[in-house]
Amino acid sequence: QAQLLESGGESVQPGGSLRLSCAPSGFNGSLYCMGWVRQGPMKEREVVAVISAGGGSVRYAESVRGRFFISRDKPKNTLSLQMDNLKSEDTAMYYCVAGQRSWGRCLDLTPDFPYWGQGTQVTVSS
């Protein structure tokens, strides 16, 4: 059974950094398109970053470009999201997602992934 387990969410002050991790189990994450989706209070779901199967291509939402960085550790079968210069508007539940998508479909930043983790809360507040 495919599962995704996120960790790393916590409260941080504006301008701070956090690193989220996702550990797939039951499947080899490097064979899947994977990403991070967030949903803040009273907001719609937003795909903030995706990485293609194999890790050759990445794409970011405009709202996080230049501040968030997605990466894979293939030997450890993990996915990470480094978040720098955090802002209050980054406050949200962050979900690790995965799906078998073509390269182009992976990078179109739509949130309809079949596999979702339970989420990890990120709160940015002074």
Side-chain angles (χ1 to χ4, degrees), residues 5-44:
L5 180 62
E6 306 97 333
S7 62
E10 60 182 74
S11 295
V12 64
Q13 292 188 341
S17 297
L18 283 176
R19 189 175 183 86
L20 305 183
S21 294
C22 173
S25 64
F27 67 101
N28 184 348
S30 66
L31 301 180
Y32 285 67
C33 169
M34 295 189 71
W36 294 91
V37 177
R38 70 183 180 185
Q39 187 162 22
M42 307 296 288
K43 295 182 180 180
E44 294 185 356

Side-chain angles (χ1 to χ4, degrees), residues 48-103:
V48 296
V50 290
I51 187 167
S52 60
S57 298
V58 299
R59 190 175 177 196
Y60 300 95
E62 185 63 33
S63 58
V64 306
R65 193 170 298 141
R67 300 187 298 119
F68 289 15
F69 303 94
I70 189 171
S71 61
R72 293 184 187 271
D73 185 326
K74 291 182 182 179
K76 294 183 179 179
N77 193 28
T78 57
L79 181 76
S80 296
L81 184 69
Q82 177 66 38
M83 305 187 294
D84 298 327
N85 190 22
L86 284 160
K87 304 176 181 181
S88 58
E89 52 262 42
D90 296 319
T91 294
M93 185 70 79
Y94 284 73
Y95 299 90
C96 178
V97 295
Q100 288 184 305
R101 291 181 168 183
S102 65
W103 179 86

